[in-house]
Amino acid sequence: METNCPSCSNRLVVDDSKVPDTPFMLKCPKCQGTIKLPGKAVAVPSASPPTSLPPPPPPASAPAPASATPPLAASSMGPALVSLATSELGNGVSALLTRLGFSVETLNDDTVDDKIQRVKQGEYPMLAVSRSGVPKERDLYAVARTLSPELRRRVFLLMVGDEFKTGEGTQAFAVLVDLVVQGKDALNCDRLLSQMLVERRRLYQTFWDVEERKREGRM
């Protein structure tokens, strides 16, 4: 058995045949210090050079700055149908929805009847409407209010008008839409609309999943 004196580092050697089974005391002949050694039952660890520490991890890259709007997959947005009180509002809201990834259509051409039918079948996940100032044949708001609860859950109803305060939940509830936006804010409410879309998706995802399983015959 070999070890070093902890006081003077003198090398100490004990004949293995004289090492007892239990711990014992050994006196250093150089400094007269006493050291306690384990018996045969416990091996004395050999001295080893200090282990070098691993190199520090590379610094984490700085997080990317938050985007102006929450990320939304453009491919999941689908078509949007716009029918507002004025062409100026319609153009502004169409640009807004296009930025968020919707494929925008308007209800002011020769395909009105076809698009109204598609609305009733739930083919538009986004409708931008006005409560007044829209001809009866293009009144998407009136059409949306006739949708079944199942289809209505799949449609985000955005109402634009000067009578509203942008983002006011009480007003939105009163007119049975998902979000109200004042006309002057329609060009730059990307962030608010994005947040509402994300929140609505979180709220209704369970319903949508159940409906999907029913259609596929898994329930």
Side-chain angles (χ1 to χ4, degrees):
M1 174 182 288
E2 296 183 12
T3 189
N4 295 327
C5 175
S7 299
C8 65
S9 300
N10 181 41
R11 182 168 173 264
L12 303 176
V13 179
V14 181
D15 190 333
D16 288 343
S17 63
K18 296 180 180 181
V19 176
D21 293 334
T22 58
F24 65 100
M25 305 300 294
L26 180 66
K27 188 174 183 179
C28 175
K30 182 177 180 180
C31 68
Q32 302 303 308
T34 304
I35 178 175
K36 184 176 181 179
L37 297 175
K40 290 181 179 179
V42 182
V44 178
S46 60
S48 59
T51 304
S52 61
L53 295 175
S61 57
S67 58
T69 59
L72 293 170
S75 61
S76 66
M77 293 296 96
L81 190 57
V82 176
S83 181
L84 299 176
T86 66
S87 58
E88 182 180 2
L89 277 180
N91 293 337
V93 172
S94 294
L96 164 68
L97 296 177
T98 298
R99 290 196 299 271
L100 296 183
F102 287 96
S103 174
V104 179
E105 302 174 21
T106 58
L107 196 62
N108 56 2
D109 52 28
D110 296 333
T111 61
V112 169
D113 292 340
D114 175 65
K115 290 178 179 177
I116 291 293
Q117 187 60 33
R118 289 171 60 192
V119 170
K120 294 179 178 180
Q121 295 172 353
E123 295 184 19
Y124 290 97
M126 166 66 72
L127 298 178
V129 304
S130 289
R131 185 169 59 166
S132 59
V134 179
K136 184 178 180 180
E137 66 273 11
R138 294 196 290 110
D139 191 350
L140 281 183
Y141 179 49
V143 176
R145 296 181 66 175
T146 67
L147 296 178
S148 67
E150 178 182 355
L151 289 179
R152 179 63 183 87
R153 282 195 294 265
R154 292 184 171 273
V155 177
F156 190 100
L157 201 54
L158 169 65
M159 178 167 283
V160 184
D162 292 335
E163 68 270 34
F164 299 112
K165 180 180 178 181
T166 298
E168 176 56 54
T170 302
Q171 290 182 325
F173 179 80
V175 293
L176 303 176
V177 301
D178 298 289
L179 177 64
V180 292
V181 173
Q182 195 172 76
K184 65 181 180 62
D185 297 329
L187 297 178
N188 57 5
C189 64
D190 301 56
R191 184 172 183 82
L192 173 62
L193 180 53
S194 293
Q195 290 173 337
M196 293 296 294
L197 286 167
V198 171
E199 177 61 22
R200 193 173 189 276
R201 181 182 300 169
R202 183 195 65 78
L203 179 65
Y204 286 113
Q205 190 62 56
T206 300
F207 290 102
W208 298 339
D209 290 344
V210 170
E211 290 167 359
E212 189 67 25
R213 288 196 293 270
K214 286 181 178 178
R215 280 194 295 270
E216 296 176 355
R218 292 184 289 151
M219 288 188 65

